[in-house]
Each structure stands twice: as structure tokens, then as C-alpha cells.
Amino acid sequence: MAVKRQIRPLRCNVAWGKRRGDTLWDIARDEVEKREHSGDDGERVEVWEKSVLFMGSKNGGKTTIILRCLEREEIPKPTLVLEYTFGRRARRHNAPKDIAHFWEIGGGTSLLELIRIPITVNNVRSFAVVLVLDLSKPNELWMTMENLLQATRNHVNKILAKLEKADPEAAAEIKQKMQNNLQRDHPDYDLVDPFPIPLVIIGSKYDVFHEFDSEMRKIISRTLRFVSHYYGASLAFTSKSEALLLKARALINHLAFGYDRSKSVSVDHSKPLFIPAGLDSLSQIGPPPTSDSNIGKMRANTPLELWKKVFEKTFPPKSFSDLQDSKDPARDAQYAEYEVDVMRAQKNQLHIKAQDSIFCSEEDNSLYFTYSGKSNVLEVKELNYQVNLASQIPWYEKLMQMQLLLPWNSGPDSHVSIIQNLNLKVHSGQMLAIIGSTAGGKTSLLDVITCRDHGGKIKSGQIMINNKPSTPQLVKKCIAHVRQDDRLLPHLTVRETLLFIAKLRLPECFSDSERQKRVEDVIAELRLRQCANTRVGNEYLRGISGGERRRVSIGVQLLWNPGILILDEPTSGLDSFTAHNLVITLSRLARGNRLVLLSLHQPRSDIFQLFDLVLLMTSGVTVYSGTARDMVQYFTDLGYPCPRYSNPADFYVDLTSIDKHTTEKEMESQKRANTLASLFQEKIKDFDDFLWKASESDSAVTTTSKQSSHLKPEEVINMPYHSSDQLPGVLKQFTVLLSRQVSNDFRDLSTLLVHGFEALVMSLLIGFLYYGHESRLSIRDTSALLYMLGALTPFTVILDVIAKCHSERAMLYHDLENGMYSVTPYFFAKILGELPEHCAFVIIYGVPIYWLTNLFPEAEHFLLNFFSVWLAVYSARAMALWVSALLPTLQLSAFFGNVLFTSFYLSGGFLISLEQLWTVPYWVSKVSFLRWNFQGMMQIQFTDSIYDMTYGNVTIKIPGRLVTKALGLDSEPLYISYIIIGGNIFCFLLLYYLSLRFIKQKSNQDW
């Protein structure tokens, strides 16, 4: 249906010699016959045939100029799309008439594609362009001129490239003809860039232009003089005045019919300009109308680009939304037809519904997840925040750099201002997006609001939540903070993850069925039904997608029904489609009477349109704060319009970013950012909500009232608010955490199988090494076997436990920070939850070795030996738990654990006799669980045994007690070994508990 409006039937009129009843075919036939006849002198007369394309500003007077050139007394009609007419004139009496084809493109810059219709390979040699610019609209002038000339030039260059292949001489002739507009001795011959075909620039509506300020007229006139001279074009100003129209007509007749060109020149800026091509010069035009210092600051690659920047600084071009012409003429108001438009609207509505159905079902579309508590207000007043850079460096990195004890690291130079004079006010039902470049202060602002500003200091200002100063206790009650990375257990399903959180975070008054219902409501709202029974996964384990995982993280916080939801870079790492759907979900949550605050770098345009409010920050200062829909208008008023087809978020983030490639660029961009921040502070100083408004009558967007009013009561999930209800007790937390620990561990079948296979292989390797002896092993072999039995597997256990604890450390840190549970229930759940795995591991490892190596077969000896190994391995596990909670990185924990284990290993009484140890390793051996495990197993195997020692033909019976005595392993009875190893376990677990309680479990990514 849109095609009917794109091309209007060409109107073809004849200016001279038109006979009533003649058709276009008759006229064309007569023209051919005349061309075939000779002139009066009997020689063949060539007929002149040219084409002229008129284009330019919408309603700029193109049709009026054409009619006056053809001497027609007609009333100009609006040009719809592309129109054609022609004229005929004879150069002398009884000579064939020359023909001029006139094409006119309407619609301003919206129909650039139609340029290719009139300009073809066949007529490019005789083609010319007339650009008509509306002088009364200087803010549209450069953009109109640039777009039309660039499109025409690109098309002509393509045609010339084709012509050069077919007829190189003709192409060279065209180029040389344009070069000849300037004489070779002209001083600007090498400085201009002639248009590929003849060009005339006409400034229309001079009568309006003449009323402008003299300085404005001078800038426009000099700019058009430069552009015309640079392109080798003629320039003329015209209006409805007959005298000015005659001058413009003379230039066009020169192009169309070859008439002599006028030699008159008018360069006085107080009068209408008239400058034929080649009769101006850069020395007469002068430099761009601005100061030399400004010229030096403007980065321009060509003279034309420099003039453009100077011109647009005085006459900022209108924003994209103001100048955008419909690419589809069927949507243009001037082509409106009621019946057709109604059908198009119906079709578009069906298309939108079809698109919505791709993402969610009809049931989901009607679901809204509302917050029934009191409306919340978050207010930040005059916030100034500093960060001590030295405190941001982890202590272990300082230690590596030998800077841990240097006093000058915390001097005044290390304090950097991150946020300066920031004000904002957000209400329930609004979604505020904080955008800006990296290191702009976005994450720091969210940390300050949520009282997690470790290493920083608020120098001045305050943060108010519902008119109360922000405190950690108040934040925990009403704010949910979703971090940039997902902290979830990978082996649980989505439903299990949310159900465990519901059991921990929802008040005790909730029954199991109510908790289950809350989980299902969250799954429905966050569009997680299709993956509810799928494992969450992580970067190593395949599970749900990144966008779904991010929504699960939101659901973890949404379960306890917070009134304020804060998200740090929620779209990072997501593709644009997933990011868009995620922000749609956040917008729905905001419409459910919540306050949503999120930070992003540079959201794409369709995401930007979803925001209610936008806070644009750079280097800690506020450049804009207000509604998203008004941001383009705000910057346009300041002289920074958003270019056509550009994403406002991208453009204005780039505009305010600090360019640190060079010192000069950094200073320039910093100065621009500070200027914009100062202008914004000046504009909002009288507003209580610190938001810029397009007019005094505007108010901040309140989405709750206008977007939720159409919902039916039965379509709303009303989430009860239980701020005062008591959370589950310690015992309930323990049972939930224990269940979660066991479920997550036993779902990791691959790891369990690997550990089990590892233990079995180690057991079989050692067992088969000593297998095959009919009699018992020798004293030397037995002691080596027992020491290896107790020392080999604990080392692998230490590395596995440390790696596992650090993989869970980030989630543990944030769970404790959010008050989801306390340390005590987590500690006992962790200890008891890993016991089944530990027992299975020791059984797989210890049982085969014992029977393959022909040790004492009695049950008592076997059980005592197994219990000693069990205690030694668990002591290693407890030590690994402690060092993993003590140190913040996997590498440091593994290093310290290795140091401890090696110390215990070397002082264990096998590699060197205990009596030979000097003071330090001797006392280390006193607490070495490997030493006491070795001593206990030696006593079990040797105390009640007799060994035969053969020297030649003499056999001596040696009691086993002498062996343990000789090795110094009989200092204490057997039960003391068990007690000391048990004491080791208790001490390590106590240290583990104290580390959890008093050392923040930050992972390396949280520093």
C-alpha cells in the first residue's frame, strides 16, 4: 500500500511551440524531424540538450525558480516526490530549438535515493545541479547541504567510474571541464575540490534572511561563499523580488541553454550575493569567522570540516528527531489517506503483538509482580566521596611489591575524588539508569548507597532512604543489591536455588506452601519457567544461558520482596537481544511499585528508550540527570545535537568521556566535561528533585500510576511486605544450608567420580607395589609403606578442598554481607555436609591398600589403622578449610597449605629420626598430624609382632617394640596419638570458624 505514494506521475509541459491536441509523442517526433534537417546555410545544426536537477530545502522555493526560468505564469504546487518538465529555446531565428530537462526532488533530504533516477551514464556529460537552500533556517542549512551534495557526488562518481571504462576520453573531458572553472594561475587552484558536474547554489528567502542580525548574516554568507568556491560552484541569493530572480535565472539559463554567463559579481554581505564560479578567492573570503585560539582547538582534517565546525558552533543543527524525514513516504503527513492509514495501523498492531508473543506467552504478558509496601524515596544530596587508592590494593599485592609497611603509600596523593557534588532523587515506580564511561563513578555510587564503600570516605553530603539517613541496617531491610557477576551454586537447578533462598530469607511465619508459591511467582515474573528445572551452571559447567543466570540472580534478591532494587552492570557479558529482554524485565519490576537503580556503560537505543530517568556521569561529576526522553533536547540546547541515526546514549557518553591518549586531549575533554557539569548544576539549582525538565510544567516520570492503572486486580501478584517479621533461626538455617551443601556436592558427579577414581588408583598403585610377598614385609618396607599410606593422600585432599572453597568464596562473602545467614550454621553445615564424601574417599583409599600389602589381618588392627588414616586425612581437610578462609586468593592458600604440609611431612619421623631434629622442626613434629599418624600406625603393626632377622645362618627374633623404640615412636601410648590428631582437627576447625567470623571472605574479584 505504501508504493502508491512513492512515485507521482510525471507532469510534462512544453514551454514554447505547444499546440493544442499535441501529444508528447507528436512533439518528440517533430523534434527528431527537425534534428534531421539542415540549417539555412545547408550545414547540419547541432541541437543543445541539457539536464538540470533541482534539490534542496523542503519548501525552499525550487518550483518557483523553475517556473520563472521557463517564463510560466503558474501557481507553484508542492513537489511530492520527483517531478519532471522541460523547456525549448532557439538560439537564433529559424534554428532548431535547444532542449533543457528539468528534474526536481521534493522532501528535503528524505528522498536521496531518487537522485540516481535522473542522473545516468547517458546524460552525465550534459548534467548540472542546482542546490536551493532556505536562508531563513540556518540551523538546517549545513545538514541539508552536506547530505544532498554528498549523496549526489557519490552517485556521480560511480557513474564516472563506469564511464571511464566505456569511454575514458569522455570521463576525462568531464573532469577537466570542472577543473577549468578556475584558471591555472588562480592562487586557489590546488586548494579546492571541484564538484564533478556543474553546480549552482541558490540561497532562497533572502527577504527573511535580510532581517537577521548582521553578524549572523555575515557568518552564513561567508560560509556559503567558501563552500561554493571550494566546490567550484556559482552562488546567488534570491527571493520573490523580480530583480533577484532574474539573476538566478541567468545562472540557470547558462546551465540549461548555454547562454552567456553574467560577469557581474556582488560579494557585499549586506547585499544579496551573486558570484559566478571561479570569480571568488579564499583571500577575499577570509578565515572562518572565529578566533584563532578556537581554530587551534578544533580538530579538522580538511578546510571544509573546519568551516563546518565553526558554522555549527554558531548555528547548532537540529537534533535527529527534529530533522528526521520519513524514509517511508507512506508515513508522511502530506500523503495521508484515512482508509489506507487505518489499515496500516491495524497491520502494525498485529505485528507488534506477534513480536511480543515470541518472548512470552499471553499469560506472562498479563503478569505483574507488585510491591505492596510503602513507596520508597532514595535521595542523594551534595555527595562528595573520596577513595584511598592505597586501600584498594590488596595486602598480598602490597606484600609482593614490598610496599606493605611503607608509610607514604597512604599519603594525601593517594586520595582521589570519585564523586563530586552529586544530587539525585528517585521514587518508587521509576527506573533510573546511571550511564557513563569506565571509571566514571557508577559502581562507587552504588557501593556508597548500599553502605559497601570499603576503602572510601564520604567527605560531605548525605544519602537518605525514605527521609532517614542510610545505615547498613536500613539498607539490609529495604535494598537488594545485585552484583555484576553471578554468585550461584552451579549444580542446583533454578527452582532449587530460589527455594533454598526462600527458606533462608523469608520470615518464619511463611509456611512451606507459601514459600513454594513465592518461588513460583518469581519464576513466572522473571520468565524462567522454561528453565526452572535446569542446572544453573557456570563458566565450566553447562547450564542455563547468561541472561537466564542474571535473571536468577535478580530473583534471589526479589524473593524477599525489596522495595528498592539496585543492579551493577546487569547487562555486562550479555548479547544485545538478551540484554534488551533483561531490561524489559527490570522495567516491569519498576512498574510494580519498585524503585530500580542500575548502572550501564553504553546501552543500545532500544534499551535507552526503556529508562524513565538517566544519570550521565563522567569522572565523578553529573553531566545530565533527568528523563531519558529529554536528554537529546537538553544537549541540543547546549549546542551538542545528536547526529542523525546515532544512539543518544553512545553519542553523549562519548562526548563526555575523558580521552587519555595524549595530555592535550585529556585536558580538552576534561575541560569540556567540567563545563557541561557546571552548566547542568546551574540549570537544576531551582529544582527540588535535581532533574532537568524541558519546561516548568513537566514533572518527573512516575510510571506506577500511568502504567499500572490499566491492570485488572486479578492480573496483579500482590507481594506482601514483612519488614518486621523475624527471619528463620540458627537451627533452621543449619538444616537448609546442610541440605543445600549435600545437594550441590552430590550433583557434581564428575568431580566425585574423579576423586573416587583418584583414591582408588593411588590405593592400587601402592598396594600392587607391595603385593606378592608370601611372608610379611620387612621392617624397612613396612615403615615406608605406613608413612606413605598416611602422607600421600592428605596432600591431594588439601589442594582439592582449597580449590573448592575458593570457588564458593564469592557467594559466601555476599551471602554473609546480605545477612542471609550467619557464620555458625554455615560452619556446621559445611563440616557435616562434607563428611560423607570424606568417609567414602578414605574407604576407597585405605581398605584396598591394607589387604593388598599383607599387613596384620586381624580386624582390630585393621580398624585401628583405618581410624588413624581417617583422622589424618580429615586433619588435612580441616587445615585446608582454615587456610582457604584465612587467605583471599587460591594461590596464597595453596602456597601456605603446601608450606604447612611440607613442614609436617619433613618432621614426621620417617625421613629423619626425631632425636636428630633441631629445636624448630622438633617442636613442629610435636603438632604434626603426619608424625602422630605414623607413630600410631607403627605401634599398631609392630607392638605385638616378632620379626626374624637373618644374618648368614643365624636368625634372630626381634620384638616389634624395639623397632618403634629405635625410631623414637614409642614416647606415648597409642591413644595419645589419636587424641593429638583429634586435637589438630579441633584446632584447625576452630581457626576455620574464627577466620569465617572475623575475616571478610572477599574473593580476589571483590577487592
Side-chain angles (χ1 to χ4, degrees):
M1 295 181 181
V3 176
K4 72 179 184 61
R5 298 174 175 178
Q6 292 179 356
I7 299 296
R8 179 183 176 182
L10 302 179
R11 73 177 182 220
C12 301
N13 302 313
V14 182
W16 297 276
K18 183 171 72 172
R19 300 185 304 270
R20 181 171 299 181
D22 281 355
T23 64
L24 184 61
W25 177 258
D26 296 330
I27 297 171
R29 184 183 58 195
D30 294 342
E31 182 60 34
V32 172
E33 291 176 353
K34 289 184 178 181
R35 290 188 187 185
E36 293 175 351
H37 289 82
S38 301
D40 295 339
D41 54 0
E43 295 181 357
R44 185 178 181 85
V45 178
E46 181 182 1
V47 176
W48 183 292
E49 186 170 352
K50 294 270 188 170
S51 298
V52 182
L53 172 63
F54 284 78
M55 58 184 183
S57 303
K58 199 171 184 179
N59 301 320
K62 300 182 290 294
T63 305
T64 300
I65 296 173
I66 293 175
L67 293 176
R68 296 309 301 270
C69 289
L70 298 179
E71 298 179 348
R72 295 182 188 169
E73 299 297 333
E74 297 179 14
I75 298 176
K77 298 179 181 179
T79 303
L80 299 183
V81 183
L82 176 65
E83 297 199 3
Y84 166 82
T85 187
F86 69 94
R88 301 168 62 194
R89 287 186 182 176
R91 279 175 280 179
R92 61 179 185 269
H93 183 64
N94 292 331
K97 293 181 179 180
D98 298 324
I99 300 177
H101 304 278
F102 291 92
W103 298 84
E104 180 185 357
I105 293 181
T109 60
S110 63
L111 302 172
L112 296 178
E113 294 85 353
L114 298 182
I115 290 175
R116 58 186 175 84
I117 295 178
I119 308 178
T120 64
V121 176
N122 298 326
N123 64 8
V124 69
R125 283 173 285 188
S126 59
F127 214 97
V129 173
V130 176
L131 177 64
V132 181
L133 300 174
D134 189 345
L135 296 177
S136 66
K137 300 177 181 178
N139 297 86
E140 300 179 15
L141 191 147
W142 190 284
M143 184 175 292
T144 301
M145 176 175 61
E146 183 179 50
N147 290 341
L148 290 171
L149 291 182
Q150 188 62 43
T152 306
R153 186 167 201 155
N154 291 340
H155 177 62
V156 172
N157 286 338
K158 291 179 182 178
I159 290 178
L160 292 179
K162 294 180 181 179
L163 184 62
E164 192 169 7
K165 296 179 181 179
D167 191 351
E169 294 182 359
E173 178 185 350
I174 294 174
K175 295 179 182 179
Q176 187 60 43
K177 179 180 178 182
M178 294 309 302
Q179 290 288 345
N180 291 340
N181 279 340
L182 282 182
Q183 300 297 327
R184 287 193 173 272
D185 57 353
H186 195 287
D188 305 332
Y189 185 81
D190 296 325
L191 302 179
V192 299
D193 184 17
F195 206 69
I197 56 178
L199 173 66
V200 172
I201 298 178
I202 296 180
S204 65
K205 300 186 181 179
Y206 179 79
D207 50 342
V208 180
F209 171 76
H210 186 63
E211 301 298 327
F212 286 4
D213 178 74
S214 60
E215 190 62 28
M216 294 175 60
R217 295 202 311 268
K218 184 177 179 180
I219 294 174
I220 297 172
S221 299
R222 290 180 60 188
T223 300
L224 289 179
R225 283 182 63 187
F226 172 79
V227 173
S228 300
H229 184 62
Y230 187 77
Y231 282 137
S234 299
L235 174 65
F237 285 0
T238 186
S239 68
K240 295 181 180 179
S241 169
E242 189 66 28
L244 295 181
L245 285 173
L246 286 175
K247 286 189 175 184
R249 176 183 172 185
L251 287 176
I252 297 172
N253 283 338
H254 170 69
L255 297 178
F257 300 106
Y259 286 12
D260 293 337
R261 189 174 64 175
S262 175
K263 298 294 185 180
S264 63
V265 177
S266 175
V267 295
D268 188 353
H269 298 144
S270 62
K271 299 179 181 179
L273 296 181
F274 184 83
I275 310 172
L279 299 183
D280 208 346
S281 66
L282 295 178
S283 60
Q284 294 178 8
I285 298 171
T290 188
S291 63
D292 293 339
S293 59
N294 288 337
I295 292 178
K297 294 178 182 178
M298 294 180 180
R299 307 288 181 180
N301 298 321
T302 63
L304 188 66
E305 186 177 349
L306 177 61
W307 277 84
K308 174 185 177 181
K309 291 188 175 183
V310 173
F311 184 83
E312 291 187 342
K313 187 174 183 180
T314 306
F315 303 103
K318 289 192 175 181
S319 65
F320 168 74
S321 59
D322 293 333
L323 285 180
Q324 185 182 19
D325 289 310
S326 176
K327 297 295 290 183
D328 182 4
R331 299 181 182 272
D332 198 318
Q334 66 178 323
Y335 309 133
E337 294 183 21
Y338 177 76
E339 294 81 1
V340 176
D341 292 337
V342 169
M343 288 187 287
R344 286 183 60 86
Q346 293 174 351
K347 180 180 177 182
N348 292 338
Q349 190 66 27
L350 292 174
H351 179 66
I352 293 173
K353 290 182 178 180
Q355 281 189 322
D356 289 342
S357 65
I358 296 176
F359 307 117
C360 53
S361 66
E362 183 179 354
E363 179 184 358
D364 285 344
N365 271 330
S366 62
L367 185 64
Y368 286 84
F369 199 62
T370 61
Y371 169 75
S372 59
K374 295 182 179 179
S375 296
N376 294 280
V377 179
L378 174 63
E379 187 173 2
V380 180
K381 297 181 179 179
E382 297 296 333
L383 179 64
N384 287 276
Y385 177 70
Q386 284 186 347
V387 168
N388 184 359
L389 295 181
S391 68
Q392 300 297 304
I393 303 175
W395 61 265
Y396 51 87
E397 290 190 9
K398 294 181 184 179
L399 183 63
M400 300 269 304
Q401 300 171 8
M402 305 300 291
Q403 295 179 345
L404 187 60
L405 302 178
L406 298 182
W408 55 82
N409 282 334
S410 57
D413 293 338
S414 65
H415 289 79
V416 177
S417 182
I418 301 297
I419 300 175
Q420 305 174 36
N421 299 324
L422 187 141
N423 295 280
L424 65 85
K425 191 173 184 180
V426 196
H427 299 264
S428 290
Q430 295 177 332
M431 180 166 63
L432 169 66
I434 306 173
I435 64 175
S437 58
T438 304
K442 303 185 297 298
T443 300
S444 296
L445 175 59
L446 299 185
D447 290 339
V448 173
I449 292 175
T450 55
C451 298
R452 291 182 173 88
D453 50 318
H454 307 297
K457 182 179 181 181
I458 298 178
K459 300 295 292 184
S460 63
Q462 57 181 343
I463 299 171
M464 308 291 289
I465 301 176
N466 300 328
N467 296 321
K468 296 179 182 179
S470 175
T471 62
Q473 295 75 21
L474 182 60
V475 167
K476 287 183 179 181
K477 287 183 178 180
C478 58
I479 295 182
H481 189 188
V482 181
R483 273 76 175 185
Q484 184 171 348
D485 49 334
D486 304 308
R487 319 291 174 92
L488 304 168
L489 291 175
H491 299 285
L492 300 179
T493 66
V494 171
R495 181 174 278 108
E496 289 172 337
T497 299
L498 296 176
L499 188 57
F500 280 125
I501 299 299
K503 292 178 180 179
L504 291 170
R505 290 302 301 267
L506 295 182
E508 285 184 321
C509 61
F510 273 65
S511 64
D512 290 340
S513 60
E514 289 175 328
R515 287 188 171 91
Q516 184 71 39
K517 183 178 184 302
R518 175 69 65 88
V519 169
E520 295 302 325
D521 291 343
V522 171
I523 289 175
E525 173 61 25
L526 297 178
R527 307 295 190 269
L528 294 171
R529 287 171 175 163
Q530 72 280 4
C531 62
N533 297 315
T534 305
R535 287 190 302 185
V536 172
N538 55 19
E539 61 269 26
Y540 308 110
L541 178 67
R542 185 177 181 85
I544 59 179
S545 67
E548 291 169 337
R549 193 176 299 118
R550 192 64 48 85
R551 278 182 275 160
V552 174
S553 297
I554 297 173
V556 166
Q557 300 296 336
L558 195 61
L559 275 170
W560 60 278
N561 194 25
I564 302 175
L565 188 61
I566 295 180
L567 305 99
D568 185 15
E569 298 287 350
T571 60
S572 294
L574 304 180
D575 61 87
S576 58
F577 176 80
T578 306
H580 182 235
N581 285 339
L582 177 63
V583 177
I584 289 177
T585 299
L586 297 177
S587 178
R588 288 165 55 86
L589 294 176
R591 295 199 296 271
N593 194 32
R594 282 185 181 82
L595 190 160
V596 178
L597 187 66
L598 68 155
S599 64
L600 300 96
H601 280 297
Q602 289 175 282
R604 73 182 199 180
S605 56
D606 54 356
I607 292 178
F608 181 78
Q609 295 172 1
L610 296 172
F611 301 145
D612 301 319
L613 304 174
V614 171
L615 174 65
L616 176 57
M617 297 181 65
T618 179
S619 298
V621 298
T622 303
V623 180
Y624 174 79
S625 180
T627 60
R629 66 169 182 263
D630 290 335
M631 188 168 79
V632 173
Q633 179 181 347
Y634 171 78
F635 282 101
T636 300
D637 293 344
L638 295 181
Y640 297 98
C642 182
R644 177 174 291 193
Y645 309 123
S646 293
N647 176 12
D650 285 338
F651 179 75
Y652 291 120
V653 168
D654 292 343
L655 174 69
T656 57
S657 297
I658 307 303
D659 188 349
K660 297 186 178 182
H661 286 90
T662 62
T663 304
E664 293 79 9
K665 289 184 177 180
E666 181 176 2
M667 293 178 61
E668 178 185 353
S669 56
Q670 187 67 60
K671 181 179 179 182
R672 180 175 63 246
N674 292 337
T675 301
L676 291 173
S678 300
L679 290 173
F680 177 75
Q681 294 296 334
E682 183 67 23
K683 287 180 177 293
I684 66 164
K685 63 181 180 180
D686 297 328
F687 296 117
D688 295 335
D689 55 3
F690 315 112
L691 300 175
W692 182 81
K693 302 176 182 62
S695 63
E696 292 292 337
S697 60
D698 287 350
S699 60
V701 179
T702 54
T703 59
T704 305
S705 60
K706 73 176 185 178
Q707 295 184 6
S708 299
S709 59
H710 66 282
L711 298 177
K712 299 178 182 179
E714 62 270 16
E715 292 176 338
V716 178
I717 293 181
N718 192 16
M719 296 291 293
Y721 182 63
H722 298 272
S723 61
S724 61
D725 290 342
Q726 186 176 0
L727 295 178
V730 173
L731 183 60
K732 178 67 174 179
Q733 292 178 12
F734 165 73
T735 57
V736 174
L737 290 173
L738 178 61
S739 176
R740 188 179 75 168
Q741 178 77 31
V742 173
S743 298
N744 185 68
D745 289 349
F746 281 85
R747 292 279 177 81
D748 190 6
L749 292 178
S750 59
T751 300
L752 293 177
L753 291 176
V754 168
H755 288 171
F757 185 71
E758 177 187 28
L760 180 62
V761 169
M762 291 171 58
S763 176
L764 294 178
L765 286 176
I766 298 173
F768 284 118
L769 178 65
Y770 292 93
Y771 181 73
H773 298 274
E774 296 181 359
S775 60
R776 286 188 302 169
L777 298 174
S778 65
I779 295 175
R780 177 175 177 274
D781 291 343
T782 301
S783 60
L785 169 63
L786 294 177
Y787 194 75
M788 191 185 313
L789 178 63
L792 186 60
T793 190
F795 183 68
T796 62
V797 170
I798 289 173
L799 296 181
D800 291 338
V801 172
I802 290 176
K804 180 180 179 182
C805 287
H806 276 279
S807 68
E808 301 172 353
R809 188 182 178 108
M811 185 197 68
L812 171 63
Y813 169 66
H814 288 288
D815 285 352
L816 295 176
E817 285 285 296
N818 291 332
M820 191 173 296
Y821 46 79
S822 59
V823 168
T824 302
Y826 174 80
F827 168 78
F828 285 104
K830 180 73 173 176
I831 299 304
L832 295 179
E834 292 188 348
L835 276 179
E837 178 185 355
H838 170 74
C839 293
F841 183 86
V842 176
I843 291 173
I844 295 173
Y845 173 74
V847 173
I849 287 182
Y850 194 89
W851 300 108
L852 287 173
T853 55
N854 201 21
L855 295 175
F856 263 112
E858 286 80 2
E860 179 184 357
H861 289 79
F862 166 72
L863 292 176
L864 289 173
N865 187 86
F866 177 80
F867 184 54
S868 181
V869 173
W870 191 96
L871 288 175
V873 176
Y874 196 80
S875 181
R877 180 180 293 273
M879 185 183 74
L881 290 172
W882 169 52
V883 297
S884 64
L886 178 67
L887 299 170
T889 67
L890 173 62
Q891 293 79 6
L892 283 175
S893 296
F895 168 75
F896 186 54
N898 191 17
V899 169
L900 286 177
F901 181 82
T902 303
S903 301
F904 294 158
Y905 180 83
L906 294 177
S907 60
F910 176 74
L911 300 180
I912 183 172
S913 175
L914 295 177
E915 288 79 5
Q916 300 299 321
L917 295 175
W918 62 285
T919 305
V920 174
Y922 177 77
W923 283 103
V924 171
S925 71
K926 290 290 186 180
V927 296
S928 170
F929 62 88
L930 294 180
R931 175 260 173 102
W932 293 106
N933 177 54
F934 179 53
Q935 179 170 318
M937 288 192 297
M938 287 290 288
Q939 291 179 5
I940 293 170
Q941 295 297 324
F942 283 93
T943 298
D944 298 330
S945 62
I946 302 294
Y947 280 84
D948 295 335
M949 299 290 294
T950 302
Y951 294 94
N953 296 327
V954 178
T955 298
I956 303 175
K957 294 187 179 294
I958 300 178
R961 293 181 180 274
L962 294 178
V963 177
T964 57
K965 183 177 182 180
L967 295 175
L969 299 177
D970 64 343
S971 58
E972 303 292 344
L974 178 61
Y975 72 90
I976 296 296
S977 297
Y978 291 134
I979 291 175
I980 293 177
I981 299 175
N984 269 263
I985 295 173
F986 176 80
C987 290
F988 284 137
L989 292 180
L990 178 62
L991 290 172
Y992 174 50
Y993 177 81
L994 294 176
S995 298
L996 291 175
R997 187 70 179 268
F998 298 107
I999 298 177
K1000 287 186 177 296
Q1001 296 301 298
K1002 285 186 176 182
S1003 61
N1004 55 351
Q1005 58 190 338
D1006 291 313
W1007 282 88

